[in-house]
Amino acid sequence: MQALTANYSTRGEIQRDQYLIATVSAPQTDRFRSSSLFILTDNRFHEEFRLNNRVFGLCEEFAELENNWDGDGALRPSSEALKNVYYIANVLESTGHLIYNAAPGPNGEIMIDLRNGLVNRSVELIFYPSRMVVVFFHESQAPFQEIFQFDNLPNVLDWLNKK
C-alpha cells in the first residue's frame, strides 16, 4: 500500500476509495492504527469531496452575473450577499449540513435552501445586500419569517432538525 507523507512537493495519483485528502492550510501527517498508513491533510476540503460542491459552484456563477441577468432588470448579486453566502456555506459544510439549493433574486439577494425531509421542514436563508432573513416552512403550520443573524444559526438548525 502506498504511503503518503507530508514532504511530497506535488500530489500523486490517489485512488478515491483508498484515501480522502482534505486540503486546508499547512500540510500535516495524521497517523492511524497501521504504522504504514498515513493520510496527508492540509485542513481545506478538496473541491471534489465537498458536501456542498454544487452550491459553491453556483456561487461562483452568481458572482459572474451582471445587472439584468434575468432579462427583467434584476440586479446582480451584491458582494455583501455573496460574502455572507460563502461564509454560511462554509460553516454548514464544516458541520455536515447539506444545502439543498441556492438561487439569486431580483434585488441583489441570494437564497439558500436547507431541508429536512424526515420531518417535512425547510428553511430559506435570504442574504440581501444590507440584511439577512430566515423563513421557516413546516407542512403543519404557516410559514414564518425572522431577521437572521449568524449567531442564531444553531437555533435555526435546531428548529430544522427538531423531531
Side-chain angles (χ1 to χ4, degrees):
M1 179 181 289
Q2 177 185 3
L4 300 177
T5 60
N7 62 357
Y8 284 178
S9 59
T10 61
R11 292 186 191 177
E13 291 295 313
I14 298 169
Q15 299 294 321
R16 284 188 202 177
D17 54 344
Q18 284 183 308
Y19 304 102
L20 174 64
I21 294 186
T23 52
V24 182
S25 82
Q28 65 186 29
T29 303
D30 292 325
R31 190 168 138 190
F32 293 94
R33 291 181 186 173
S34 168
S35 60
S36 63
L37 175 63
F38 294 89
I39 295 184
L40 175 67
T41 64
D42 68 0
N43 299 332
R44 256 183 321 188
F45 289 105
H46 190 275
E47 288 181 19
E48 230 175 302
F49 299 109
R50 290 192 294 190
L51 176 66
N52 293 307
N53 197 36
R54 186 180 70 81
V55 172
F56 286 105
L58 286 172
C59 288
E60 290 173 11
E61 292 178 25
F62 300 160
E64 299 296 320
L65 293 174
E66 297 295 333
N67 285 331
N68 197 31
W69 57 267
D70 67 348
D72 286 328
L75 300 175
R76 70 178 302 175
S78 75
S79 59
E80 188 66 22
L82 277 166
K83 180 180 83 172
N84 288 333
V85 168
Y86 274 118
Y87 173 77
I88 205 76
N90 278 304
V91 169
L92 292 169
E93 180 76 21
S94 68
T95 59
H97 280 84
L98 178 67
I99 299 171
Y100 183 78
N101 197 16
N107 299 310
E109 75 272 20
I110 300 173
M111 178 274 305
I112 62 172
D113 182 4
L114 307 173
R115 295 188 182 183
N116 184 337
L118 297 175
V119 292
N120 296 316
R121 293 177 190 249
S122 66
V123 171
E124 289 181 358
L125 297 170
I126 306 169
F127 300 91
Y128 292 92
S130 61
R131 65 188 171 104
M132 300 177 289
V133 174
V134 58
V135 184
F136 300 88
F137 298 92
H138 189 279
E139 68 177 10
S140 67
Q141 64 189 66
F144 61 98
Q145 173 178 308
E146 297 176 357
I147 300 297
F148 177 73
Q149 295 181 358
F150 290 117
D151 59 357
N152 196 31
L153 182 61
N155 296 330
V156 170
L157 295 176
D158 284 346
W159 182 88
L160 178 66
N161 296 313
K162 187 165 76 173
K163 297 188 184 215

